[in-house]
mmCIF file of all heavy atoms in Angstrom:
data_model
loop_
_atom_site.group_PDB
_atom_site.id
_atom_site.type_symbol
_atom_site.label_atom_id
_atom_site.label_comp_id
_atom_site.label_asym_id
_atom_site.label_seq_id
_atom_site.Cartn_x
_atom_site.Cartn_y
_atom_site.Cartn_z
ATOM 1 N N SER A 16 -25.357 11.011 3.159
ATOM 2 C CA SER A 16 -25.463 9.583 3.429
ATOM 3 C C SER A 16 -24.886 8.769 2.288
ATOM 4 O O SER A 16 -24.460 7.644 2.481
ATOM 5 C CB SER A 16 -26.921 9.187 3.670
ATOM 6 O OG SER A 16 -27.691 9.433 2.525
ATOM 7 N N GLY A 17 -24.836 9.332 1.102
ATOM 8 C CA GLY A 17 -24.263 8.610 -0.020
ATOM 9 C C GLY A 17 -22.810 8.261 0.194
ATOM 10 O O GLY A 17 -22.339 7.220 -0.250
ATOM 11 N N ALA A 18 -22.092 9.128 0.900
ATOM 12 C CA ALA A 18 -20.671 8.863 1.141
ATOM 13 C C ALA A 18 -20.481 7.614 1.967
ATOM 14 O O ALA A 18 -19.685 6.741 1.623
ATOM 15 C CB ALA A 18 -20.041 10.063 1.844
ATOM 16 N N ILE A 19 -21.214 7.507 3.077
ATOM 17 C CA ILE A 19 -21.040 6.342 3.951
ATOM 18 C C ILE A 19 -21.487 5.072 3.255
ATOM 19 O O ILE A 19 -20.827 4.037 3.362
ATOM 20 C CB ILE A 19 -21.796 6.531 5.287
ATOM 21 C CG1 ILE A 19 -21.680 5.258 6.136
ATOM 22 C CG2 ILE A 19 -23.241 6.856 5.105
ATOM 23 C CD1 ILE A 19 -20.299 4.890 6.507
ATOM 24 N N PHE A 20 -22.572 5.126 2.496
ATOM 25 C CA PHE A 20 -23.019 3.892 1.873
ATOM 26 C C PHE A 20 -22.148 3.490 0.703
ATOM 27 O O PHE A 20 -22.052 2.325 0.373
ATOM 28 C CB PHE A 20 -24.503 3.987 1.478
ATOM 29 C CG PHE A 20 -25.390 3.620 2.612
ATOM 30 C CD1 PHE A 20 -25.755 4.550 3.568
ATOM 31 C CD2 PHE A 20 -25.809 2.316 2.784
ATOM 32 C CE1 PHE A 20 -26.543 4.203 4.642
ATOM 33 C CE2 PHE A 20 -26.606 1.950 3.860
ATOM 34 C CZ PHE A 20 -26.967 2.901 4.796
ATOM 35 N N PHE A 21 -21.471 4.453 0.078
ATOM 36 C CA PHE A 21 -20.461 4.094 -0.917
ATOM 37 C C PHE A 21 -19.349 3.314 -0.235
ATOM 38 O O PHE A 21 -18.930 2.262 -0.711
ATOM 39 C CB PHE A 21 -19.885 5.343 -1.572
ATOM 40 C CG PHE A 21 -18.682 5.060 -2.421
ATOM 41 C CD1 PHE A 21 -18.821 4.496 -3.670
ATOM 42 C CD2 PHE A 21 -17.404 5.340 -1.958
ATOM 43 C CE1 PHE A 21 -17.718 4.228 -4.452
ATOM 44 C CE2 PHE A 21 -16.292 5.069 -2.731
ATOM 45 C CZ PHE A 21 -16.447 4.511 -3.975
ATOM 46 N N VAL A 22 -18.892 3.824 0.919
ATOM 47 C CA VAL A 22 -17.813 3.152 1.650
ATOM 48 C C VAL A 22 -18.275 1.795 2.149
ATOM 49 O O VAL A 22 -17.588 0.790 2.021
ATOM 50 C CB VAL A 22 -17.324 4.016 2.832
ATOM 51 C CG1 VAL A 22 -16.274 3.266 3.638
ATOM 52 C CG2 VAL A 22 -16.729 5.325 2.319
ATOM 53 N N ILE A 23 -19.479 1.746 2.735
ATOM 54 C CA ILE A 23 -19.988 0.473 3.244
ATOM 55 C C ILE A 23 -20.129 -0.537 2.106
ATOM 56 O O ILE A 23 -19.794 -1.709 2.254
ATOM 57 C CB ILE A 23 -21.351 0.674 3.939
ATOM 58 C CG1 ILE A 23 -21.138 1.405 5.275
ATOM 59 C CG2 ILE A 23 -22.046 -0.657 4.198
ATOM 60 C CD1 ILE A 23 -22.411 1.703 6.005
ATOM 61 N N SER A 24 -20.607 -0.072 0.940
ATOM 62 C CA SER A 24 -20.740 -0.982 -0.197
ATOM 63 C C SER A 24 -19.407 -1.593 -0.560
ATOM 64 O O SER A 24 -19.302 -2.791 -0.821
ATOM 65 C CB SER A 24 -21.307 -0.221 -1.405
ATOM 66 O OG SER A 24 -22.586 0.282 -1.113
ATOM 67 N N MET A 25 -18.359 -0.757 -0.574
ATOM 68 C CA MET A 25 -17.037 -1.268 -0.906
ATOM 69 C C MET A 25 -16.547 -2.239 0.151
ATOM 70 O O MET A 25 -15.942 -3.269 -0.140
ATOM 71 C CB MET A 25 -16.045 -0.110 -1.055
ATOM 72 C CG MET A 25 -16.372 0.831 -2.204
ATOM 73 S SD MET A 25 -16.521 -0.019 -3.790
ATOM 74 C CE MET A 25 -14.826 -0.583 -4.018
ATOM 75 N N LEU A 26 -16.831 -1.929 1.422
ATOM 76 C CA LEU A 26 -16.409 -2.815 2.499
ATOM 77 C C LEU A 26 -17.123 -4.158 2.404
ATOM 78 O O LEU A 26 -16.533 -5.214 2.625
ATOM 79 C CB LEU A 26 -16.699 -2.166 3.866
ATOM 80 C CG LEU A 26 -15.830 -0.956 4.215
ATOM 81 C CD1 LEU A 26 -16.375 -0.271 5.469
ATOM 82 C CD2 LEU A 26 -14.376 -1.355 4.437
ATOM 83 N N ILE A 27 -18.400 -4.110 2.055
ATOM 84 C CA ILE A 27 -19.155 -5.352 1.919
ATOM 85 C C ILE A 27 -18.573 -6.207 0.796
ATOM 86 O O ILE A 27 -18.394 -7.412 0.932
ATOM 87 C CB ILE A 27 -20.638 -5.043 1.631
ATOM 88 C CG1 ILE A 27 -21.286 -4.475 2.902
ATOM 89 C CG2 ILE A 27 -21.382 -6.277 1.171
ATOM 90 C CD1 ILE A 27 -22.659 -3.920 2.673
ATOM 91 N N LEU A 28 -18.249 -5.573 -0.330
ATOM 92 C CA LEU A 28 -17.768 -6.315 -1.480
ATOM 93 C C LEU A 28 -16.436 -6.994 -1.223
ATOM 94 O O LEU A 28 -16.145 -8.036 -1.789
ATOM 95 C CB LEU A 28 -17.673 -5.390 -2.693
ATOM 96 C CG LEU A 28 -19.032 -4.928 -3.247
ATOM 97 C CD1 LEU A 28 -18.826 -3.892 -4.342
ATOM 98 C CD2 LEU A 28 -19.832 -6.104 -3.771
ATOM 99 N N VAL A 29 -15.597 -6.398 -0.348
ATOM 100 C CA VAL A 29 -14.322 -7.045 -0.039
ATOM 101 C C VAL A 29 -14.404 -7.833 1.259
ATOM 102 O O VAL A 29 -13.445 -8.468 1.673
ATOM 103 C CB VAL A 29 -13.160 -6.026 0.058
ATOM 104 C CG1 VAL A 29 -12.958 -5.345 -1.267
ATOM 105 C CG2 VAL A 29 -13.375 -5.010 1.161
ATOM 106 N N GLY A 30 -15.567 -7.778 1.933
ATOM 107 C CA GLY A 30 -15.768 -8.609 3.111
ATOM 108 C C GLY A 30 -15.050 -8.126 4.348
ATOM 109 O O GLY A 30 -14.640 -8.913 5.181
ATOM 110 N N ARG A 31 -14.947 -6.796 4.516
ATOM 111 C CA ARG A 31 -14.251 -6.281 5.697
ATOM 112 C C ARG A 31 -15.106 -5.218 6.355
ATOM 113 O O ARG A 31 -15.230 -4.102 5.848
ATOM 114 C CB ARG A 31 -12.892 -5.691 5.294
ATOM 115 C CG ARG A 31 -11.911 -6.785 4.937
ATOM 116 C CD ARG A 31 -10.680 -6.219 4.277
ATOM 117 N NE ARG A 31 -9.692 -7.269 4.080
ATOM 118 C CZ ARG A 31 -9.741 -8.140 3.098
ATOM 119 N NH1 ARG A 31 -10.717 -8.109 2.247
ATOM 120 N NH2 ARG A 31 -8.815 -9.072 2.982
ATOM 121 N N ASP A 32 -15.688 -5.536 7.506
ATOM 122 C CA ASP A 32 -16.462 -4.567 8.258
ATOM 123 C C ASP A 32 -15.539 -3.795 9.185
ATOM 124 O O ASP A 32 -14.560 -4.321 9.684
ATOM 125 C CB ASP A 32 -17.545 -5.266 9.099
ATOM 126 C CG ASP A 32 -18.645 -5.846 8.213
ATOM 127 O OD1 ASP A 32 -18.856 -5.286 7.126
ATOM 128 O OD2 ASP A 32 -19.259 -6.835 8.610
ATOM 129 N N CYS A 33 -15.875 -2.533 9.423
ATOM 130 C CA CYS A 33 -15.086 -1.680 10.311
ATOM 131 C C CYS A 33 -16.006 -1.123 11.378
ATOM 132 O O CYS A 33 -16.572 -0.045 11.212
ATOM 133 C CB CYS A 33 -14.423 -0.551 9.529
ATOM 134 S SG CYS A 33 -13.241 -1.128 8.309
ATOM 135 N N PRO A 34 -16.235 -1.855 12.510
ATOM 136 C CA PRO A 34 -17.173 -1.388 13.510
ATOM 137 C C PRO A 34 -16.609 -0.277 14.364
ATOM 138 O O PRO A 34 -15.409 -0.083 14.460
ATOM 139 C CB PRO A 34 -17.430 -2.645 14.357
ATOM 140 C CG PRO A 34 -16.172 -3.418 14.228
ATOM 141 C CD PRO A 34 -15.645 -3.146 12.848
ATOM 142 N N VAL A 35 -17.505 0.454 14.998
ATOM 143 C CA VAL A 35 -17.106 1.445 15.992
ATOM 144 C C VAL A 35 -17.609 0.955 17.341
ATOM 145 O O VAL A 35 -18.666 0.351 17.438
ATOM 146 C CB VAL A 35 -17.692 2.839 15.668
ATOM 147 C CG1 VAL A 35 -19.194 2.840 15.714
ATOM 148 C CG2 VAL A 35 -17.132 3.891 16.632
ATOM 149 N N ALA A 36 -16.846 1.189 18.400
ATOM 150 C CA ALA A 36 -17.193 0.659 19.709
ATOM 151 C C ALA A 36 -18.478 1.280 20.235
ATOM 152 O O ALA A 36 -18.712 2.474 20.105
ATOM 153 C CB ALA A 36 -16.062 0.910 20.691
ATOM 154 N N ALA A 37 -19.330 0.462 20.842
ATOM 155 C CA ALA A 37 -20.487 0.983 21.528
ATOM 156 C C ALA A 37 -20.014 1.688 22.793
ATOM 157 O O ALA A 37 -19.060 1.268 23.438
ATOM 158 C CB ALA A 37 -21.440 -0.163 21.889
ATOM 159 N N GLU A 38 -20.671 2.789 23.144
ATOM 160 C CA GLU A 38 -20.241 3.557 24.309
ATOM 161 C C GLU A 38 -20.768 2.974 25.611
ATOM 162 O O GLU A 38 -20.263 3.287 26.675
ATOM 163 C CB GLU A 38 -20.698 5.010 24.162
ATOM 164 C CG GLU A 38 -19.990 5.724 23.015
ATOM 165 C CD GLU A 38 -20.344 7.190 22.942
ATOM 166 O OE1 GLU A 38 -21.267 7.607 23.670
ATOM 167 O OE2 GLU A 38 -19.702 7.925 22.182
ATOM 168 N N THR A 39 -21.803 2.144 25.523
ATOM 169 C CA THR A 39 -22.388 1.537 26.712
ATOM 170 C C THR A 39 -22.259 0.033 26.637
ATOM 171 O O THR A 39 -22.596 -0.557 25.614
ATOM 172 C CB THR A 39 -23.888 1.907 26.834
ATOM 173 O OG1 THR A 39 -24.003 3.331 26.823
ATOM 174 C CG2 THR A 39 -24.482 1.333 28.110
ATOM 175 N N PRO A 40 -21.746 -0.627 27.708
ATOM 176 C CA PRO A 40 -21.621 -2.086 27.682
ATOM 177 C C PRO A 40 -22.953 -2.731 27.336
ATOM 178 O O PRO A 40 -23.999 -2.343 27.852
ATOM 179 C CB PRO A 40 -21.182 -2.416 29.119
ATOM 180 C CG PRO A 40 -20.488 -1.178 29.593
ATOM 181 C CD PRO A 40 -21.247 -0.044 28.968
ATOM 182 N N GLY A 41 -22.918 -3.712 26.478
ATOM 183 C CA GLY A 41 -24.133 -4.415 26.090
ATOM 184 C C GLY A 41 -24.780 -3.868 24.837
ATOM 185 O O GLY A 41 -25.645 -4.506 24.255
ATOM 186 N N GLN A 42 -24.364 -2.639 24.426
ATOM 187 C CA GLN A 42 -24.912 -2.101 23.195
ATOM 188 C C GLN A 42 -24.359 -2.847 21.995
ATOM 189 O O GLN A 42 -23.275 -3.404 22.034
ATOM 190 C CB GLN A 42 -24.545 -0.622 23.045
ATOM 191 C CG GLN A 42 -25.523 0.328 23.721
ATOM 192 C CD GLN A 42 -25.217 1.760 23.334
ATOM 193 O OE1 GLN A 42 -24.065 2.112 23.124
ATOM 194 N NE2 GLN A 42 -26.240 2.576 23.260
#
Side-chain angles (χ1 to χ4, degrees):
S16 62
I19 176 61
F20 274 85
F21 170 77
V22 176
I23 288 177
S24 298
M25 296 305 294
L26 290 170
I27 289 170
L28 291 173
V29 297
R31 287 168 174 80
D32 290 332
C33 297
V35 63
E38 293 185 351
T39 304
Q42 273 189 327

